[in-house]
Amino acid sequence: MTTGREKLRRRTFGRIGRTRLLIFLSVVGPGFIAANAGNDAGGITTWSVIGARYGYSLIWVLVLITPILAVVQEMNARVGVVTGRGLAALIRENFSLKVTALAILTAVVANFGTTVAEFSGIAAAGSLFGVPPYVGVPVLSILIWLLVTRGTYRKTERVLLGLGFVLVAYIAAGILAGPDWSAALDGATHPSFSSESLWLFTVIAAVGTTLTPWGQFFIQAAVVDKKVSLRQYVYTKYEIFAGSVFMTVIDFFIVLACAATLYDKGIVIESAEEAAMALEPLLGEVARYLFGLGLLAVSILAAGVLPLATAYVVCEAFGFESGLDTGFREAPVFNGIITFLIFVPALIASIPGLPLIRVIVSAQVLNGVLLPVILLFTLKLINDPAVMGTHANGRVSNAIAWTFTVALIAMSAVLLLSPFVF
């Protein structure tokens, strides 16, 4: 028999649980958006090609990437919450002007090229549904611009989160493919290696498309713009970890879909669009539309986040007003950069015969060069007591972070040399 005291205890714990859930839901946003935007057109293409070319054998890379992504994103978010400043602003305040200018210039150029790739993904996804690029790209670019420049932070965040969750379409496609689950488990738990240069480049590309420098700028600026407090930060940390897992789960099912259908038949693909077309005769029209829907959603998401991240970077670095709750009158530079980085890449992506592969590769090389530099900035800042106070990294966190950073520096160096090798 339940006593009155026991009933009171259950009600109390129930209220505490509901309160914690509501707090968690209130801070959901930056971690999921940053992680899912990393699964952009280039990311979807990379994991589709991996599944088609290597089957289940590289799933272990996803297992390795997940904690790396979570740790790096959490560090930048923590710096933002503690300091109330974006990463670009802190770089300007703690390093020389030349160093700041070089980092910002590289980020802007890389982000511009990557945004062109995102609108190319929108064009490719539209073609899967019979919509020509000269119709789909201009219409969606206007809608993206209206969302980012005319909406409040909360409204923009909700739409971007909704686009991210559309990626569950890839889970459906992976299950529909009827994968070999035992082979997938073996690929996740038994790493396989190769000395072939193409294999090495593929693994580096998989890491590079998941961990992006613009993602680090964005997540730190986003928690500042959202005004996440130190009291709420523990929930933001959980959200970052959950977002990282969600992102890699999506990649896992993309690999499953392509490994189960294309790998055994030796079908070669070079893009997510080709993967969707190749899946149709094997799994039916539904698979094609699921892949197309996922590619469209993530391309729209990244096409909105990348200009936003770039605007944050430039405005923080040079002291201009910024924020999603500001209009053109309050923040002309911030909104002007967003406008430029939406409409110009959209126009370029609509040009017939554009060598998009070169644009994408060039952007990846610039990202590969910039990422280790951004990580070094973050590690310097997060270990500075004058910046972080009692919230600096501990010994264990530093050991993990430095190990990841050194590994990423080595991989980025190989990525930088890859255009001369392949």
Side-chain angles (χ1 to χ4, degrees):
M1 182 175 179
T2 305
T3 65
R5 180 177 295 179
E6 180 66 18
K7 289 180 179 179
L8 178 61
R9 188 183 68 83
R10 289 182 180 180
R11 285 198 298 269
T12 301
F13 278 105
R15 285 195 296 269
I16 292 173
R18 287 192 295 273
T19 300
R20 288 178 176 176
L21 176 60
L22 289 173
I23 293 174
F24 174 78
L25 292 175
S26 71
V27 298
V28 165
F32 269 91
I33 293 172
N36 288 324
N39 255 346
D40 57 3
I44 300 301
T45 294
T46 299
W47 290 109
S48 297
V49 171
I50 284 175
R53 182 177 292 163
Y54 297 104
Y56 305 101
S57 64
L58 287 182
I59 292 178
W60 65 269
V61 177
L62 279 171
V63 178
L64 178 64
I65 285 177
T66 304
I68 296 176
L69 176 64
V71 168
V72 172
Q73 299 277 52
E74 188 278 330
M75 285 196 309
N76 281 286
R78 183 167 17 122
V79 174
V81 171
V82 171
T83 64
R85 310 281 282 168
L87 182 56
L90 290 174
I91 291 174
R92 181 197 66 198
E93 294 168 3
N94 291 273
F95 300 93
S96 70
L97 183 59
K98 290 183 179 180
V99 170
T100 302
L102 179 61
I104 301 311
L105 177 62
T106 308
V108 170
V109 174
N111 290 358
F112 182 87
T114 307
T115 307
V116 173
E118 307 311 340
F119 279 104
S120 301
I122 290 174
S127 67
L128 292 172
F129 294 95
V131 180
Y134 60 82
V135 174
V137 172
V139 170
L140 285 174
S141 65
I142 293 172
L143 293 177
I144 292 169
W145 179 81
L146 289 172
L147 169 68
V148 177
T149 63
R150 300 299 184 183
T152 63
Y153 180 92
R154 185 169 294 277
K155 290 180 180 178
T156 303
E157 182 183 73
R158 287 174 180 173
V159 174
L160 294 177
L161 279 172
L163 288 169
F165 284 109
V166 173
L167 291 176
V168 296
Y170 286 116
I171 296 179
I175 295 173
L176 186 64
D180 185 338
W181 294 102
S182 62
L185 179 61
D186 185 69
T189 56
H190 294 82
S192 60
F193 301 91
S194 172
S195 59
E196 294 181 0
S197 56
L198 180 60
W199 182 93
L200 179 60
F201 178 74
T202 302
V203 173
I204 294 170
V207 175
T209 196
T210 305
L211 282 159
T212 59
W214 64 261
Q216 314 323 310
F217 282 108
F218 173 79
I219 195 167
Q220 186 163 331
V223 297
V224 172
D225 203 358
K226 192 170 184 176
K227 300 176 178 62
V228 176
S229 66
L230 273 172
R231 176 181 292 183
Q232 294 174 317
Y233 178 66
V234 63
Y235 300 100
T236 295
K237 181 167 68 174
Y238 294 152
E239 187 243 341
I240 290 170
F241 294 162
S244 300
V245 172
F246 180 78
M247 174 186 182
T248 52
V249 165
I250 297 300
D251 293 333
F252 171 71
F253 279 96
I254 292 172
V255 173
L256 290 188
C258 294
T261 53
L262 308 181
Y263 175 67
D264 288 339
K265 293 179 173 56
I267 298 176
V268 178
I269 61 171
E270 297 295 335
S271 69
E273 181 187 11
E274 290 182 13
M277 298 296 290
L279 286 173
E280 183 176 2
L282 300 171
L283 299 178
E285 199 173 49
V286 173
R288 172 188 172 186
Y289 288 142
L290 286 174
F291 249 68
L293 178 62
L295 179 60
L296 178 63
V298 77
S299 296
I300 294 173
L301 170 60
V305 171
L306 270 159
L308 179 58
T310 309
Y312 277 133
V313 168
V314 174
C315 291
E316 289 168 0
F318 298 105
F320 296 115
E321 185 71 26
S322 65
L324 280 172
D325 293 324
T326 60
F328 272 88
R329 181 174 296 179
E330 298 89 358
V333 175
F334 179 77
N335 286 284
I337 291 171
I338 291 173
T339 300
F340 177 84
L341 284 176
I342 288 177
F343 289 119
V344 175
L347 178 63
I348 293 174
S350 301
I351 298 175
L354 180 73
L356 294 175
I357 295 299
R358 290 187 180 182
V359 174
I360 294 172
V361 169
S362 298
Q364 286 179 334
V365 170
L366 286 171
N367 279 324
V369 174
L370 185 59
L371 177 59
V373 176
I374 298 306
L375 292 179
L376 290 173
F377 282 141
T378 300
L379 282 166
K380 171 67 175 176
L381 292 168
I382 207 167
N383 285 290
D384 186 346
V387 175
M388 296 297 294
T390 59
H391 300 281
N393 267 2
R395 291 183 179 180
V396 175
S397 297
N398 270 331
I400 296 172
W402 275 108
T403 300
F404 289 159
T405 301
V406 170
L408 287 170
I409 289 173
M411 288 186 288
S412 296
V414 177
L415 181 61
L416 178 62
L417 295 173
S418 63
F420 304 101
V421 177
F422 300 102

PDB file of all heavy atoms in Angstrom, residues 236-255:
ATOM      1  N   THR A 236      22.467  22.276 -22.295  1.00  0.00           N
ATOM      2  CA  THR A 236      23.038  22.534 -23.617  1.00  0.00           C
ATOM      3  C   THR A 236      24.105  21.489 -23.947  1.00  0.00           C
ATOM      4  O   THR A 236      24.200  21.012 -25.078  1.00  0.00           O
ATOM      5  CB  THR A 236      23.651  23.947 -23.667  1.00  0.00           C
ATOM      6  OG1 THR A 236      22.613  24.917 -23.507  1.00  0.00           O
ATOM      7  CG2 THR A 236      24.355  24.187 -24.991  1.00  0.00           C
ATOM      8  N   LYS A 237      24.891  21.125 -22.930  1.00  0.00           N
ATOM      9  CA  LYS A 237      25.922  20.107 -23.146  1.00  0.00           C
ATOM     10  C   LYS A 237      25.296  18.776 -23.544  1.00  0.00           C
ATOM     11  O   LYS A 237      25.762  18.118 -24.478  1.00  0.00           O
ATOM     12  CB  LYS A 237      26.757  19.935 -21.861  1.00  0.00           C
ATOM     13  CG  LYS A 237      27.870  18.894 -22.009  1.00  0.00           C
ATOM     14  CD  LYS A 237      28.847  18.987 -20.849  1.00  0.00           C
ATOM     15  CE  LYS A 237      28.178  18.552 -19.550  1.00  0.00           C
ATOM     16  NZ  LYS A 237      29.154  18.492 -18.438  1.00  0.00           N
ATOM     17  N   TYR A 238      24.234  18.385 -22.848  1.00  0.00           N
ATOM     18  CA  TYR A 238      23.545  17.145 -23.205  1.00  0.00           C
ATOM     19  C   TYR A 238      22.983  17.234 -24.624  1.00  0.00           C
ATOM     20  O   TYR A 238      23.002  16.258 -25.385  1.00  0.00           O
ATOM     21  CB  TYR A 238      22.400  16.871 -22.223  1.00  0.00           C
ATOM     22  CG  TYR A 238      22.842  16.587 -20.812  1.00  0.00           C
ATOM     23  CD1 TYR A 238      22.014  16.890 -19.726  1.00  0.00           C
ATOM     24  CD2 TYR A 238      24.092  16.025 -20.538  1.00  0.00           C
ATOM     25  CE1 TYR A 238      22.416  16.642 -18.417  1.00  0.00           C
ATOM     26  CE2 TYR A 238      24.491  15.770 -19.246  1.00  0.00           C
ATOM     27  CZ  TYR A 238      23.659  16.080 -18.184  1.00  0.00           C
ATOM     28  OH  TYR A 238      24.066  15.829 -16.891  1.00  0.00           O
ATOM     29  N   GLU A 239      22.467  18.420 -24.977  1.00  0.00           N
ATOM     30  CA  GLU A 239      21.897  18.603 -26.312  1.00  0.00           C
ATOM     31  C   GLU A 239      22.973  18.488 -27.385  1.00  0.00           C
ATOM     32  O   GLU A 239      22.746  17.924 -28.459  1.00  0.00           O
ATOM     33  CB  GLU A 239      21.226  19.975 -26.390  1.00  0.00           C
ATOM     34  CG  GLU A 239      20.451  20.226 -27.675  1.00  0.00           C
ATOM     35  CD  GLU A 239      21.026  21.376 -28.474  1.00  0.00           C
ATOM     36  OE1 GLU A 239      21.772  22.184 -27.897  1.00  0.00           O
ATOM     37  OE2 GLU A 239      20.737  21.449 -29.676  1.00  0.00           O
ATOM     38  N   ILE A 240      24.165  19.009 -27.119  1.00  0.00           N
ATOM     39  CA  ILE A 240      25.278  18.901 -28.065  1.00  0.00           C
ATOM     40  C   ILE A 240      25.653  17.435 -28.267  1.00  0.00           C
ATOM     41  O   ILE A 240      25.854  16.975 -29.400  1.00  0.00           O
ATOM     42  CB  ILE A 240      26.489  19.704 -27.558  1.00  0.00           C
ATOM     43  CG1 ILE A 240      26.193  21.205 -27.644  1.00  0.00           C
ATOM     44  CG2 ILE A 240      27.747  19.366 -28.362  1.00  0.00           C
ATOM     45  CD1 ILE A 240      27.210  22.072 -26.951  1.00  0.00           C
ATOM     46  N   PHE A 241      25.739  16.695 -27.173  1.00  0.00           N
ATOM     47  CA  PHE A 241      26.069  15.278 -27.283  1.00  0.00           C
ATOM     48  C   PHE A 241      24.986  14.528 -28.055  1.00  0.00           C
ATOM     49  O   PHE A 241      25.280  13.683 -28.908  1.00  0.00           O
ATOM     50  CB  PHE A 241      26.245  14.666 -25.891  1.00  0.00           C
ATOM     51  CG  PHE A 241      27.439  15.201 -25.127  1.00  0.00           C
ATOM     52  CD1 PHE A 241      27.531  15.047 -23.759  1.00  0.00           C
ATOM     53  CD2 PHE A 241      28.469  15.859 -25.789  1.00  0.00           C
ATOM     54  CE1 PHE A 241      28.637  15.531 -23.054  1.00  0.00           C
ATOM     55  CE2 PHE A 241      29.575  16.352 -25.101  1.00  0.00           C
ATOM     56  CZ  PHE A 241      29.654  16.194 -23.738  1.00  0.00           C
ATOM     57  N   ALA A 242      23.721  14.829 -27.749  1.00  0.00           N
ATOM     58  CA  ALA A 242      22.617  14.168 -28.445  1.00  0.00           C
ATOM     59  C   ALA A 242      22.620  14.519 -29.929  1.00  0.00           C
ATOM     60  O   ALA A 242      22.375  13.662 -30.786  1.00  0.00           O
ATOM     61  CB  ALA A 242      21.282  14.564 -27.814  1.00  0.00           C
ATOM     62  N   GLY A 243      22.907  15.793 -30.254  1.00  0.00           N
ATOM     63  CA  GLY A 243      22.970  16.205 -31.648  1.00  0.00           C
ATOM     64  C   GLY A 243      24.076  15.507 -32.405  1.00  0.00           C
ATOM     65  O   GLY A 243      23.905  15.123 -33.577  1.00  0.00           O
ATOM     66  N   SER A 244      25.222  15.316 -31.758  1.00  0.00           N
ATOM     67  CA  SER A 244      26.333  14.611 -32.390  1.00  0.00           C
ATOM     68  C   SER A 244      25.969  13.161 -32.693  1.00  0.00           C
ATOM     69  O   SER A 244      26.278  12.645 -33.772  1.00  0.00           O
ATOM     70  CB  SER A 244      27.571  14.662 -31.476  1.00  0.00           C
ATOM     71  OG  SER A 244      27.961  15.999 -31.230  1.00  0.00           O
ATOM     72  N   VAL A 245      25.306  12.517 -31.743  1.00  0.00           N
ATOM     73  CA  VAL A 245      24.878  11.129 -31.954  1.00  0.00           C
ATOM     74  C   VAL A 245      23.840  11.051 -33.065  1.00  0.00           C
ATOM     75  O   VAL A 245      23.907  10.178 -33.946  1.00  0.00           O
ATOM     76  CB  VAL A 245      24.315  10.522 -30.646  1.00  0.00           C
ATOM     77  CG1 VAL A 245      23.688   9.159 -30.911  1.00  0.00           C
ATOM     78  CG2 VAL A 245      25.412  10.415 -29.600  1.00  0.00           C
ATOM     79  N   PHE A 246      22.880  11.987 -33.055  1.00  0.00           N
ATOM     80  CA  PHE A 246      21.845  11.997 -34.083  1.00  0.00           C
ATOM     81  C   PHE A 246      22.459  12.143 -35.472  1.00  0.00           C
ATOM     82  O   PHE A 246      22.070  11.460 -36.429  1.00  0.00           O
ATOM     83  CB  PHE A 246      20.863  13.141 -33.824  1.00  0.00           C
ATOM     84  CG  PHE A 246      19.741  13.233 -34.832  1.00  0.00           C
ATOM     85  CD1 PHE A 246      18.661  12.373 -34.762  1.00  0.00           C
ATOM     86  CD2 PHE A 246      19.775  14.187 -35.842  1.00  0.00           C
ATOM     87  CE1 PHE A 246      17.626  12.452 -35.684  1.00  0.00           C
ATOM     88  CE2 PHE A 246      18.750  14.275 -36.768  1.00  0.00           C
ATOM     89  CZ  PHE A 246      17.674  13.403 -36.687  1.00  0.00           C
ATOM     90  N   MET A 247      23.439  13.015 -35.590  1.00  0.00           N
ATOM     91  CA  MET A 247      24.090  13.243 -36.883  1.00  0.00           C
ATOM     92  C   MET A 247      24.759  11.975 -37.405  1.00  0.00           C
ATOM     93  O   MET A 247      24.590  11.602 -38.566  1.00  0.00           O
ATOM     94  CB  MET A 247      25.139  14.345 -36.738  1.00  0.00           C
ATOM     95  CG  MET A 247      25.969  14.571 -37.993  1.00  0.00           C
ATOM     96  SD  MET A 247      27.294  15.764 -37.706  1.00  0.00           S
ATOM     97  CE  MET A 247      28.024  15.850 -39.337  1.00  0.00           C
ATOM     98  N   THR A 248      25.503  11.303 -36.549  1.00  0.00           N
ATOM     99  CA  THR A 248      26.220  10.117 -37.003  1.00  0.00           C
ATOM    100  C   THR A 248      25.287   8.925 -37.220  1.00  0.00           C
ATOM    101  O   THR A 248      25.576   8.049 -38.031  1.00  0.00           O
ATOM    102  CB  THR A 248      27.340   9.742 -36.023  1.00  0.00           C
ATOM    103  OG1 THR A 248      26.815   9.656 -34.693  1.00  0.00           O
ATOM    104  CG2 THR A 248      28.444  10.782 -36.040  1.00  0.00           C
ATOM    105  N   VAL A 249      24.158   8.897 -36.509  1.00  0.00           N
ATOM    106  CA  VAL A 249      23.155   7.857 -36.769  1.00  0.00           C
ATOM    107  C   VAL A 249      22.598   8.014 -38.183  1.00  0.00           C
ATOM    108  O   VAL A 249      22.409   7.031 -38.912  1.00  0.00           O
ATOM    109  CB  VAL A 249      22.026   7.906 -35.720  1.00  0.00           C
ATOM    110  CG1 VAL A 249      20.815   7.092 -36.178  1.00  0.00           C
ATOM    111  CG2 VAL A 249      22.521   7.378 -34.378  1.00  0.00           C
ATOM    112  N   ILE A 250      22.333   9.249 -38.592  1.00  0.00           N
ATOM    113  CA  ILE A 250      21.858   9.511 -39.946  1.00  0.00           C
ATOM    114  C   ILE A 250      22.888   9.033 -40.967  1.00  0.00           C
ATOM    115  O   ILE A 250      22.553   8.371 -41.955  1.00  0.00           O
ATOM    116  CB  ILE A 250      21.566  11.016 -40.146  1.00  0.00           C
ATOM    117  CG1 ILE A 250      20.446  11.476 -39.204  1.00  0.00           C
ATOM    118  CG2 ILE A 250      21.206  11.307 -41.600  1.00  0.00           C
ATOM    119  CD1 ILE A 250      19.131  10.760 -39.397  1.00  0.00           C
ATOM    120  N   ASP A 251      24.152   9.375 -40.734  1.00  0.00           N
ATOM    121  CA  ASP A 251      25.219   8.927 -41.635  1.00  0.00           C
ATOM    122  C   ASP A 251      25.286   7.403 -41.686  1.00  0.00           C
ATOM    123  O   ASP A 251      25.525   6.814 -42.749  1.00  0.00           O
ATOM    124  CB  ASP A 251      26.565   9.484 -41.161  1.00  0.00           C
ATOM    125  CG  ASP A 251      26.638  11.002 -41.293  1.00  0.00           C
ATOM    126  OD1 ASP A 251      25.936  11.540 -42.166  1.00  0.00           O
ATOM    127  OD2 ASP A 251      27.387  11.624 -40.521  1.00  0.00           O
ATOM    128  N   PHE A 252      25.077   6.767 -40.543  1.00  0.00           N
ATOM    129  CA  PHE A 252      25.099   5.308 -40.459  1.00  0.00           C
ATOM    130  C   PHE A 252      24.065   4.693 -41.394  1.00  0.00           C
ATOM    131  O   PHE A 252      24.353   3.757 -42.152  1.00  0.00           O
ATOM    132  CB  PHE A 252      24.844   4.892 -39.008  1.00  0.00           C
ATOM    133  CG  PHE A 252      24.624   3.420 -38.806  1.00  0.00           C
ATOM    134  CD1 PHE A 252      25.667   2.518 -38.936  1.00  0.00           C
ATOM    135  CD2 PHE A 252      23.368   2.934 -38.471  1.00  0.00           C
ATOM    136  CE1 PHE A 252      25.462   1.152 -38.738  1.00  0.00           C
ATOM    137  CE2 PHE A 252      23.147   1.587 -38.268  1.00  0.00           C
ATOM    138  CZ  PHE A 252      24.206   0.686 -38.408  1.00  0.00           C
ATOM    139  N   PHE A 253      22.854   5.244 -41.391  1.00  0.00           N
ATOM    140  CA  PHE A 253      21.805   4.678 -42.237  1.00  0.00           C
ATOM    141  C   PHE A 253      22.006   5.020 -43.716  1.00  0.00           C
ATOM    142  O   PHE A 253      21.571   4.268 -44.595  1.00  0.00           O
ATOM    143  CB  PHE A 253      20.428   5.142 -41.750  1.00  0.00           C
ATOM    144  CG  PHE A 253      19.926   4.342 -40.580  1.00  0.00           C
ATOM    145  CD1 PHE A 253      20.100   4.786 -39.281  1.00  0.00           C
ATOM    146  CD2 PHE A 253      19.303   3.122 -40.784  1.00  0.00           C
ATOM    147  CE1 PHE A 253      19.655   4.033 -38.207  1.00  0.00           C
ATOM    148  CE2 PHE A 253      18.847   2.354 -39.716  1.00  0.00           C
ATOM    149  CZ  PHE A 253      19.027   2.812 -38.416  1.00  0.00           C
ATOM    150  N   ILE A 254      22.669   6.130 -43.997  1.00  0.00           N
ATOM    151  CA  ILE A 254      23.031   6.424 -45.388  1.00  0.00           C
ATOM    152  C   ILE A 254      24.001   5.365 -45.901  1.00  0.00           C
ATOM    153  O   ILE A 254      23.857   4.843 -47.017  1.00  0.00           O
ATOM    154  CB  ILE A 254      23.658   7.822 -45.499  1.00  0.00           C
ATOM    155  CG1 ILE A 254      22.614   8.899 -45.222  1.00  0.00           C
ATOM    156  CG2 ILE A 254      24.272   8.042 -46.889  1.00  0.00           C
ATOM    157  CD1 ILE A 254      23.179  10.300 -45.119  1.00  0.00           C
ATOM    158  N   VAL A 255      24.990   5.039 -45.066  1.00  0.00           N
ATOM    159  CA  VAL A 255      25.949   4.000 -45.435  1.00  0.00           C
ATOM    160  C   VAL A 255      25.232   2.663 -45.621  1.00  0.00           C
ATOM    161  O   VAL A 255      25.493   1.932 -46.587  1.00  0.00           O
ATOM    162  CB  VAL A 255      27.062   3.873 -44.374  1.00  0.00           C
ATOM    163  CG1 VAL A 255      27.962   2.681 -44.682  1.00  0.00           C
ATOM    164  CG2 VAL A 255      27.890   5.148 -44.317  1.00  0.00           C
TER     165      VAL A 255
END
